[in-house]
Every structure is written in C-alpha cells, then in structure tokens.
Amino acid sequence: MLTFVTKQILVGGALRFLRSLSAGGVVLGTIFFAASLTPTLIPRSFLLQGALSGGCFAVGYAIGVGWRWLWRYMQLPHPRGRMERWLKIGVLGLCLILAVAFLRNTAAWQNSIRTLMDMEPVSSAHPIEISAIAILTFVALVLLARLFMIVVQLISKGADRVVPPRVSRVIGFSLGVILFWSIANGLLVRYTLHVLDSSFAAFDALFEPDQDRPTSPLQTGSTASLMAWEELGRTGRRFVSTGPSAQDIAGFTGQPALQPIRVYASLHAGDNAAERAKLAFEELKRVGGFERSVLVVITPTGTGWVDPAGIDTVEYLHRGDIASVALQYSYLSSPLSLLVEPDYGMEAAQALFAQVYGYWTTLPRDRRPKLYLHGLSLGALNSERSTDIFEILGNPIQGAVWSGPPFASRIWQQVTAARNAGSPAWLPEFRDGSIFRFMNQNGSTVPAETPWGPMRIVYLQYASDAITFFDYRDLYRRPDWMNAPRGPDVSPHLQWFPIVTMLQLAVDMAVANGTPMGFGHVFAPEHYLKAWLAVTDPPGWSPQDIEKLSHYLAERSR
C-alpha cells in the first residue's frame, strides 16, 4: 500500500512539474541540449556528456523563460487555454524528435574525435544514460532556481511593509543573490577547496617506497643539501630522483655525459615565495648549476609537478651538461590554482627568476650558462609572467619553451592576435619568426633555416587543447581557430553555437589531461624534442641521431 501511494505521489509530482514548464523554455532548452551533443575538442564519457547536456538544457530553458516573461511584460498576445495545451503537446513532440535525432549521431560525433587521437571507437554513446543524467541535472537546477525565487518572494513580502512593491522586488532579488552567493562561495566552494588543498597536501607528503634519499652531495635532498629530503614533498622528490642519469645518457649517445643537476624547493622550504626562491638559488649555486652549459628555470604546474617529457628531453640533448631549478607554489591542480591563487604562482615565478637572473647577469658572458625558461600549463602562464621580456632585452636570456599555455597567457594572446595574415590561430606565424614560433605535433610552419634573433621562444600547443583555446568570448562569437583549415586533431564535425560551445569547451578543459599522449593537454617527448632543438640548438646531433632519440624517448614514455 505504501509503495502504491508513494508511486502515486511521485507520478503526480512529475506531472505537475511537467505542466509547470514553459513551452518556450523547453524549445530553447532542447535546442541547447541537442547542440551540446555535438563534438568539440575532447571525447566525453556518457556521464560527463549527460551532466553537460542537462546543464545546457537548463541554460536554454532559463533564457526561454526570460523571453516569455519579457513577451508578457510587453503585453503582447500569447496562446491561452486549449490552444496553449495543444501547443505544448506539439512542441514537446517536436522537441522529442530533435533530441532523438541528435542522440543517434552522438557516437559518430565522438568517434570523429577518437579516430584523430588514435583511440578505440565506441559502439554506442549510451543515449539512454545520457538522457537520464541530463534530466536529473536539469530537474536539480530548476528546483534550485525555484528555491531561489521562493526566497526572493519571501524577502520581497517582508519589504512590502516599508517600501513600494517594485522597490521591494529589487531588494528581494538583490538580497537573494547575495544570500545564495554567500552560501555557494563561503560554504560550499571554500570548504571544498579547503578539503582539496588538504588532500593534495597530504598526497604530496606521501613517500613512495622506491624513492631513497640521494647519496650524491650534488643532489637536492642529500645530507649535504640545504633542503631536507623529507621536506621536498612527493613531487619534489620525484623530480630530483628520477630522470636520465649520466650512465643512461652516455649509454644512448655513446659519448661521455654528465649527471644532470636538478634543484627543487617545495612549499616547506620557507614561509613565503621570496624565502623559498632564495633557498633554491643558494642550493643551485651549491651544486654548481651556474657552471653548466645550460640552465633552465622551470615553473611547475599547480601541484608542483614538472613534466618529465619536457625536462628529460633537453637533458639528453645536452648530454647532461645542464642544470634546472623549480619552485613549488601550490598543492592544487592548475585549473584550481588559476581560480583560487591566480597571483601566487606569478609571485613565486618572479621571485625565483629575480634571484637567478640577478646573479646570472653578474657572470662573464663567455663563462655563464645559456639561460632558458620552461613551463607547462599554469607553469607556462606564470613563467611568462616571471619577467617583462622588454626589460631584459639589453641582457637577454636565450629563450623559452612554453607548452600548453592557458588561454589567459598575456604574451601568447598578443602574439596570436598579431599573427601573420593567412596563418591559422591554432599554429600562428609571427612576423619573421626570429623571436616567437609555434609548434604542434608536426613541428613549426616556419622553415628550420630561418634565422633566429638573440632570444628564441617556442610555444608548443595542440589544436585539441581546450586549456589553450578556451575563451569567454566564445559565448557570443565564433573563435578563429575553428576556421578552415583546422588543426590535425580537431573534428571536422565541430560547430560553433552561441553559449553552448563555451560551456562545452569549459567542460573540455576539465578533462584535457585525459587524452592519449600527443593530444589535448598531454605533451609527447618527441614533440618537446622539436621545441628544445629549435630553442637550444645543441651541437653534435645529426638528423639520424635526432630521429633515433625521438623514437627512444617516445618508447621510454609509453
């Protein structure tokens, strides 16, 4: 009996909810839902697709409801009674046909991306699961919106006693926004970020069983080091203890090699960025980093991670005659750090560069190492911001390799916007190519024999990387990188839709690290090899040697 009553209540509630929906809102919501099923840059699971589609339906529905309110506010004619009911039935039927038609194509659209990324095609996109998740997401968001309106009405009724009705509505809406924002930002977001920060910090403190304390006094974390092994953190310990040894490099090249120098300072190294940078600098001097031929200042990702594919490659190219130094500034992942601590990474990068560059400029030019910058993702953004390039032109560094620059990277934005006419936004050419060059899986479009200037900067980026190509302006305008010709890893079925495409790309950013190596935001060592070759121009490598190293690094990383 209880089960029957419960079912009746649920069915009755569902029917009342359906009757309460706006026909115009459902139409626009369905259009947004259908558009969200089309491919963008990254393949999506049915769980992610369902949540995205439900959110897009809710956004479209809200716009439709707003349009209906404006229509009625202007006192324009609208259907009533039986005509309104029949109109709703017809509209729901058309919306159902549209949704089913797009759901049938979802698997083919997802496979159009997966094929380009050498991924196994899917036989089904699980349309039933997508629809169920989308409905649950939409209902949850609508109920949340209705709760907001109830709160606004309650506040407005209380204000009606002392102010005119229209003023009370403004007060109710304003206070409702403040209340909901305070709850969302103050309780949910901050608490979630606190939990995440604590979790990442605890994870960073874990010791891996195969990582022993270094015995060489030239390694950070050894007994001779200025920093204790325990205080380096998980990412720091991995950075200084892994990578190619002198024996590995000599075994591959058949020539004598040095042990690459790696210095890392974690968040435990000091109370602020300046203290940690100073300690990293002193450690770099202690181990002889300025006595090597090449010195790389690395800005890690948000978690403090340094991509092995990026640093191992250049260590092989220079046969170990290289030093690198990195400074941790956060425990959170790059997207979270970008949202929560946008200036903290810049502060750390500037502090470390100031220490290294300030000392480097005092050394004789013919006896100091070649100085380069490097960073991936948020590290590329903050490495860009570590110095003003125009301020060091009188005594310039030798260059930089920045991979996967986030869309907020200022120099990247300016150079891309000022690209040569006819060059695509996903692989621009900038003026004569003497300072800035862009590379992807196929290298650069600038001929290798084109002369460089005193400073060489390469952006390594894939056309399928949403972290690089997301833009808030995608809300209302088609981005240039969608124009033909498109990148080699971008689906030909990708289309731009107002609002929806921006939401799709925002979701793509969250899963950009889930692609195979060489696509999205996961960079392959053979592509790093091309970038470092162009920037550092190491001597003694024939084309055959480079090809052999490329295959070796690719196999080693997989």
Side-chain angles (χ1 to χ4, degrees):
M1 180 66 181
L2 182 61
T3 304
F4 175 77
V5 173
T6 303
K7 287 182 178 179
Q8 290 294 102
I9 293 174
L10 291 175
V11 170
L15 290 174
R16 285 193 299 274
F17 180 81
L18 287 173
R19 293 192 194 102
S20 69
L21 295 178
S22 161
V26 170
V27 169
L28 199 55
T30 303
I31 293 173
F32 275 43
F33 170 85
S36 73
L37 297 171
T38 61
T40 43
L41 296 179
I42 306 296
R44 293 187 285 265
S45 66
F46 71 83
L47 181 63
L48 191 63
Q49 182 65 68
L52 169 64
S53 297
C56 288
F57 192 108
V59 172
Y61 181 82
I63 295 173
V65 170
W67 176 256
R68 183 189 66 172
W69 175 87
L70 181 62
W71 186 274
R72 293 186 176 182
Y73 180 80
M74 294 187 296
Q75 298 181 338
L76 297 173
H78 58 89
R80 299 176 183 273
R82 181 177 296 179
M83 182 180 293
E84 183 179 15
R85 288 194 296 272
W86 281 109
L87 183 62
K88 279 190 175 183
I89 293 173
V91 163
L92 287 175
L94 291 174
C95 289
L96 185 61
I97 293 172
L98 178 64
V100 170
F102 273 70
L103 282 166
R104 288 185 61 184
N105 287 313
T106 304
W109 285 331
Q110 289 300 306
N111 285 335
S112 71
I113 311 174
R114 299 177 70 89
T115 300
L116 294 173
M117 296 185 176
D118 298 324
M119 299 173 68
E120 287 291 327
V122 294
S123 58
S124 170
H126 305 283
I128 295 176
E129 289 86 348
I130 288 175
S131 301
I133 296 168
I135 291 171
L136 290 174
T137 303
F138 168 69
V139 170
L141 292 173
V142 169
L143 293 178
L144 183 63
R146 291 182 177 180
L147 175 62
F148 172 76
M149 294 308 301
I150 291 172
V151 172
V152 169
Q153 290 173 2
L154 290 174
I155 297 173
S156 298
K157 285 182 180 179
D160 275 342
R161 302 171 185 172
V162 292
V163 296
R166 292 191 177 182
V167 176
S168 69
R169 290 170 194 160
V170 173
I171 293 174
F173 181 81
S174 301
L175 292 180
V177 170
I178 293 173
L179 176 63
F180 271 65
W181 176 256
S182 299
I183 293 174
N185 187 55
L187 296 180
L188 299 179
V189 174
R190 291 184 180 275
Y191 176 74
T192 301
L193 289 175
H194 174 73
V195 171
L196 288 173
D197 185 63
S198 299
S199 300
F200 280 119
F203 181 71
D204 189 62
L206 292 176
F207 272 86
E208 294 189 350
D210 58 342
Q211 286 184 349
D212 296 324
R213 185 171 190 164
T215 56
S216 170
L218 294 182
Q219 285 187 274
T220 301
S222 65
T223 54
S225 174
L226 302 178
M227 288 172 278
W229 177 244
E230 296 78 11
E231 293 181 350
L232 290 182
R234 184 174 181 271
T235 53
R237 289 189 292 269
R238 174 174 291 183
F239 174 68
V240 301
S241 64
T242 59
S245 65
Q247 292 75 20
D248 293 332
I249 299 172
F252 175 81
T253 62
Q255 300 178 21
L258 297 176
Q259 177 67 38
I261 291 174
R262 293 186 176 189
V263 173
Y264 189 96
S266 73
L267 286 171
H268 299 289
D271 295 331
N272 53 57
E275 289 185 8
R276 293 190 288 272
K278 177 67 173 177
L279 189 60
F281 165 68
E282 294 296 340
E283 177 75 358
L284 185 64
K285 285 202 302 181
R286 184 191 72 80
V287 297
F290 288 94
E291 298 167 16
R292 295 298 174 96
S293 297
V294 173
L295 173 58
V296 182
V297 178
I298 302 173
T299 305
T301 63
T303 59
W305 180 69
V306 177
D307 188 357
I311 189 62
D312 291 2
T313 304
V314 70
E315 288 175 340
Y316 270 97
L317 283 175
H318 290 275
R319 298 178 176 84
D321 189 12
I322 180 174
S324 58
V325 56
L327 183 65
Q328 187 181 27
Y329 53 87
S330 173
Y331 293 121
L332 298 174
S333 64
S334 288
L336 289 175
S337 294
L338 186 61
L339 292 172
V340 181
E341 304 166 328
D343 296 326
Y344 196 43
M346 178 181 68
E347 179 187 0
Q350 289 176 343
L352 180 59
F353 180 80
Q355 290 283 346
V356 173
Y357 181 77
Y359 179 74
W360 180 78
T361 54
T362 66
L363 301 175
R365 295 197 179 205
D366 59 342
R367 293 169 52 192
R368 67 190 184 188
K370 292 181 178 180
L371 182 58
Y372 300 94
L373 300 179
H374 173 54
L376 162 67
S377 190
L378 185 61
L381 169 65
N382 288 317
S383 183
E384 258 196 11
R385 300 156 78 186
S386 65
T387 183
D388 187 333
I389 290 179
F390 300 104
E391 291 183 357
I392 61 173
L393 287 179
N395 199 355
I397 63 173
Q398 276 60 59
V401 171
W402 290 320
S403 51
F407 62 93
S409 304
R410 179 177 56 84
I411 299 176
W412 175 86
Q413 286 181 343
Q414 294 172 348
V415 175
T416 301
R419 67 188 180 277
N420 297 344
S423 66
W426 48 270
L427 196 64
E429 291 181 12
F430 182 73
R431 298 181 183 176
D432 61 357
S434 61
I435 298 179
F436 293 98
R437 295 184 191 179
F438 292 79
M439 291 189 177
N440 65 357
Q441 298 94 328
N442 302 319
S444 174
T445 56
V446 179
E449 62 272 13
T450 302
W452 282 95
M455 188 161 47
R456 308 180 179 194
I457 297 175
V458 165
Y459 284 105
L460 178 60
Q461 59 190 43
Y462 300 145
S464 55
D465 189 355
I467 292 177
T468 294
F469 292 105
F470 174 84
D471 192 326
Y472 291 109
R473 292 173 296 179
D474 297 341
L475 179 81
Y476 58 85
R477 64 107 171 99
R478 177 189 173 97
D480 291 342
W481 56 265
M482 284 191 184
N483 298 332
R486 288 184 173 175
D489 45 346
V490 175
S491 170
H493 299 289
L494 188 153
Q495 299 292 329
W496 175 77
F497 301 96
I499 302 174
V500 175
T501 297
M502 188 199 73
L503 297 175
Q504 289 176 306
L505 293 174
V507 170
D508 284 350
M509 281 200 299
V511 293
N513 286 314
T515 63
M517 184 171 286
F519 304 97
H521 204 58
V522 185
F523 292 87
E526 59 268 32
H527 303 151
Y528 272 117
L529 179 63
K530 296 177 182 178
W532 282 117
L533 271 171
V535 170
T536 64
D537 192 22
W541 289 89
S542 68
Q544 294 75 20
D545 293 335
I546 294 299
E547 187 67 22
K548 180 182 175 183
L549 179 59
S550 179
H551 287 300
Y552 172 74
L553 292 172
E555 290 298 323
R556 186 171 174 265
S557 64
R558 287 169 170 81

